[in-house]
Each structure stands twice: as C-alpha cells, then as structure tokens.
Amino acid sequence: MSMVLFDVPGPKARVRHKIMAVIGIAAALAAVAYVAMRFVATNQFSARRLDWINYKQIQLSLVEAIGNTLSAFAVGAVLALAFGAIFAAARLSDHGWVRAPAAVIVEVFRAIPLVIMMFFFYYGLPVAGVKLTAFTAVVISLMLYNGSVLAEIFRAGINSLPKGQSEAAYALGMRKTQVMTFVLLPQALRAMLPTIISQLVVLLKDTALGFLITFEELLRWGTRIGGDAVNFGRPMISVMILVALIYIGLCLLLSWLATYLEKRNRRNKKVIHVDADDIPEMAPV
C-alpha cells in the first residue's frame, strides 16, 4: 500500500524511524540542557541580573506592549477572516469578471513579503501624502497577507467537500447562497478549523515585525529594555527570554482555544433522534 508522496513504511522502517526520533529528541534535549547549564554557570539568572523586572515603570511598559500586541492581533485577525471569507466567495463565484480579479488580488498579496507591505504602508505612502500610524500599517499588512492565505484555506476547504453535497441541495431547489451558507460552510468549517487557528497563530507571531516600523509591541519593548539593561551591566538575554516565554504562552493559549473549540464542535453536532413510536408500520405484503 502506498500514499501519494511516499510509500507506507514497513516494520523495519517504522523501527528505524522510531530510533531516529529518539536520537533527535535526545540531541535536542542535550542542546537545551547545555545552553541552560552555560546560563547557570555564568550567573545569567542571578537575582542581580534580573532585578530590572522589579521596576514599576518597566512592568507598566510591559503590560502596555502586551496590550498593543494583542490589539494588533485581534483587529488583524478579524479583518483577515473577513477579507478571506469575502475573497474566497469571490473566487468561488460563477462569474468570471468577479473570479479573475479576486484571484489576482489574492495571489499578489500572498506573494509579497509581509515586512515589505509594512514598510510600504508606513514609509511609502507618506510620499504620496497618505500618513498612517504604525498600528494602522501593521493591521493593514496583517489583514492583506494573512487574509489572502485564509481565502485559499476557505476555498480549498469548500472545494474538498464531495460534489454530491451541493448537487443534492440544488436538487431540492436551494439557491447558491443557501447551499453555501447552510450546506457547505458548516461542514467545511469543521475541517478547516485547525488550519485557520494555525494561521492565526502565524498572524500573532507576525505582529513582532511591527518593531521594524517603530510599532510599540512586545518585541520592540524587549529590544528597548534590553538595550537599557546592557548599559547598566545586565545582559539582554534575560529580557529576550521573557519576551519569548510570553509569545510562547500566547501561542499556546490560542492553540488550546482551537482544541477546545474543535472538541466542542464535535459534541454539538446535530443528531436527529427518532422515536420508535413515530415510525409508521409497514403494510403487510
């Protein structure tokens, strides 16, 4: 038995893959342990080197930076989902004059690197007399790039459904809008949910690129506070570790939310219960 991209491994190959996986995990753990031991040996986690976090102003600026990161993520995620839904519907349209421009827009914004869009909206548009704040430039860039990716996710999810679903709905006299809303989307969303959440995690991490255009988000806070810490004899590594842990925590929370929604969605599937008394008896032949 074989799959499209590779042959299904046999017993020996599975054993070999398990051994390679164990070796890889052991090597990764050994590398992490070595780095941690070097940090401890050089007193990177001593109280004197971490006392910068005790300053109230630093704590307030950290809360503000996290708030800016979450604000950009929330607004960008909502706009990206709306952008993706609209252009996915446009790409699925039966009208070529709607489908073709939508395909061009999606492909163009998928191909442009996100950081180039941020630079264009923040530094390029003022040349034409349009001044945008750093927050607006970050949000628009996140919407266009991630929205284009989500549009393809939505389109692929709907197209992955069996054609018999839509054909049966059309046979019942339903219009295309009704077929999409009541038949295709509810089924496609169940399959697309993990991919959608994964893209939203990418969007959350992409907010870190805002520090390149002076957006006061978490990474820019880390570089600024880290630079000040170096000037006072404290290494920047402790600041960056804190920033990394916060990003990891936010991404894990989002992943946990995705798992929770997926499990709840499975529990809430509509099941039609039929009472045995309501079933008419068959007439004798």
Side-chain angles (χ1 to χ4, degrees):
M1 180 180 179
S2 63
M3 298 183 68
V4 176
L5 298 180
F6 63 94
D7 293 332
V8 176
K12 291 184 179 180
R14 287 196 294 268
V15 172
R16 185 168 60 251
H17 292 170
K18 290 179 181 179
I19 294 175
M20 294 172 61
V22 171
I23 294 175
I25 293 173
L29 291 177
V32 172
Y34 174 77
V35 173
M37 290 174 58
R38 295 304 304 163
F39 282 161
V40 173
T42 54
N43 296 322
Q44 297 296 325
F45 301 116
S46 62
R48 186 185 69 83
R49 293 179 182 270
L50 298 175
D51 60 354
W52 54 269
I53 196 64
N54 295 323
Y55 293 97
K56 184 177 180 180
Q57 185 58 42
I58 291 179
Q59 296 173 358
L60 293 176
S61 61
L62 173 60
V63 173
E64 182 180 359
I66 295 175
N68 291 338
T69 297
L70 293 178
S71 298
F73 163 72
V75 178
V78 172
L79 293 178
L81 289 170
F83 183 96
I86 292 172
F87 278 86
R91 293 209 62 184
L92 293 170
S93 174
D94 295 332
H95 305 287
W97 60 272
V98 175
R99 188 172 59 253
V104 172
I105 292 173
V106 168
E107 294 301 328
V108 166
F109 286 119
R110 283 178 64 201
I112 300 176
L114 180 60
V115 67
I116 292 180
M117 281 195 278
M118 289 186 181
F119 273 89
F120 172 78
F121 288 119
Y122 190 70
Y123 295 113
L125 288 184
V127 177
V130 180
K131 178 67 175 177
L132 297 179
T133 63
F135 176 82
T136 305
V138 169
V139 167
I140 293 176
S141 302
L142 293 174
M143 175 193 70
L144 294 176
Y145 178 76
N146 292 278
S148 299
V149 177
L150 288 170
E152 288 299 285
I153 293 174
F154 294 155
R155 185 177 70 88
I158 293 174
N159 286 335
S160 66
L161 296 175
K163 291 186 178 181
Q165 301 285 335
S166 56
E167 291 175 354
Y170 287 131
L172 294 175
M174 299 177 69
R175 296 187 298 272
K176 184 172 182 178
T177 304
Q178 295 174 318
V179 173
M180 186 70 67
T181 304
F182 299 110
V183 178
L184 299 181
L185 277 180
Q187 299 180 73
L189 282 175
R190 292 191 181 97
M192 294 186 298
L193 186 59
T195 309
I196 293 173
I197 298 298
S198 297
Q199 188 61 36
L200 292 181
V201 171
V202 173
L203 190 151
L204 173 61
K205 293 186 291 185
D206 284 344
T207 58
L209 295 175
F211 92 99
L212 295 173
I213 59 172
T214 70
F215 177 53
E216 293 294 334
E217 45 75 53
L218 187 56
L219 182 58
R220 183 170 178 82
W221 173 89
T223 55
R224 179 162 49 83
I225 298 300
D228 295 339
V230 171
N231 294 332
F232 288 98
R234 277 69 170 175
M236 192 175 180
I237 186 65
S238 59
V239 181
M240 291 296 101
I241 289 176
L242 176 62
V243 171
L245 291 176
I246 293 175
Y247 272 116
I248 292 172
L250 293 176
C251 292
L252 288 178
L253 284 175
L254 193 57
S255 300
W256 172 83
L257 177 62
T259 304
Y260 170 76
L261 291 176
E262 186 176 3
K263 291 181 178 178
R264 184 172 181 179
N265 189 35
R266 290 177 180 176
R267 291 198 303 265
N268 290 344
K269 286 183 179 179
K270 294 182 179 180
V271 179
I272 301 176
H273 298 281
V274 180
D275 194 350
D277 296 335
D278 297 334
I279 301 176
E281 295 183 359
M282 296 288 294
V285 180

